[in-house]
Amino acid sequence: MDLTDSAWLINLIAGVAIAVGVVGVVVPVVPGLLLSWAGVLFWAIFGEGSGAVRWLVFGVATAVALLGGLIKYMVPGRRLKNAGVPNSALLAGGVLGVVGFFVIPVLGLPLGFVLGVYLVERARLGPGQAWPSTKYALHAAGMAMLIEFTAALAVAVVWVFGLLWSGWALP
């Protein structure tokens, strides 16, 4: 392999972006699925090998990312609606989650989310029913994260197969 060749660097940058995106789903510092998709886009634009293969891989990765993003919002949202958790509780959880993220980096996001949902549900339902409603919201948030993680991982797998199919792999 010629180290002056930029193809290995393009593959490395794309791979790092995809890997950081997958990790970013679990550690909410970067937009995970979007970053994984952008890594595949970068590879499709600048990578070497068969252009048709790169764009086919990008198309499949785009379909996977879009489907994962759609399912991420549809499934947990439907479960929350069926459980009777109002949007105001989710909004309060989101706002306190963002505030918590800056007060206690990384851990403050989930703690703020739980606190926000709990406070709204406590005011709405009383102390006895607030925690079960908050647990529904936590389950839905966990399910959304799992769906997004699966989609980001699927994008990564599609890229690896595309990388191998196009005849290029990292040394």
Side-chain angles (χ1 to χ4, degrees), residues 21 24-25 29-36 148:
V25 171
V29 178
V30 295
L33 185 56
L34 182 63
L35 185 58
S36 293
E148 185 178 4

Side-chain angles (χ1 to χ4, degrees), residues 9-106:
L9 183 61
I10 291 168
N11 292 341
L12 180 66
I13 291 170
V16 167
I18 292 166
V20 169
V22 170
V23 172
V25 171
V26 180
V27 181
V29 178
V30 295
L33 185 56
L34 182 63
L35 185 58
S36 293
W37 174 84
V40 177
L41 175 62
F42 176 81
W43 176 76
I45 293 171
F46 298 109
E48 290 185 7
S50 172
V53 170
R54 289 194 323 268
W55 289 108
L56 176 65
V57 168
F58 175 69
V60 171
T62 299
V64 167
L66 287 174
L67 185 63
L70 183 66
I71 292 171
K72 171 188 168 184
Y73 290 107
M74 286 179 55
V75 172
R78 186 172 349 124
R79 290 188 72 188
L80 286 172
K81 186 177 281 190
N82 291 342
V85 178
N87 289 336
S88 60
L90 299 177
L91 179 64
V95 168
L96 282 182
V98 169
V99 170
F101 179 78
F102 291 107
V103 173
I104 307 169
V106 181

Side-chain angles (χ1 to χ4, degrees), residues 109-163:
L109 182 66
L111 293 175
F113 177 78
V114 170
L115 181 63
V117 171
Y118 179 78
L119 290 175
V120 169
E121 290 301 278
R122 183 179 169 102
R124 186 175 74 95
L125 300 172
Q129 294 298 318
W131 184 243
S133 184
T134 303
K135 285 195 312 188
Y136 276 113
L138 285 174
H139 286 274
M143 181 180 291
M145 183 183 289
L146 181 62
I147 291 167
E148 185 178 4
F149 179 75
T150 303
L153 205 55
V155 166
V157 168
V158 166
W159 176 73
V160 168
F161 277 115
L163 191 64

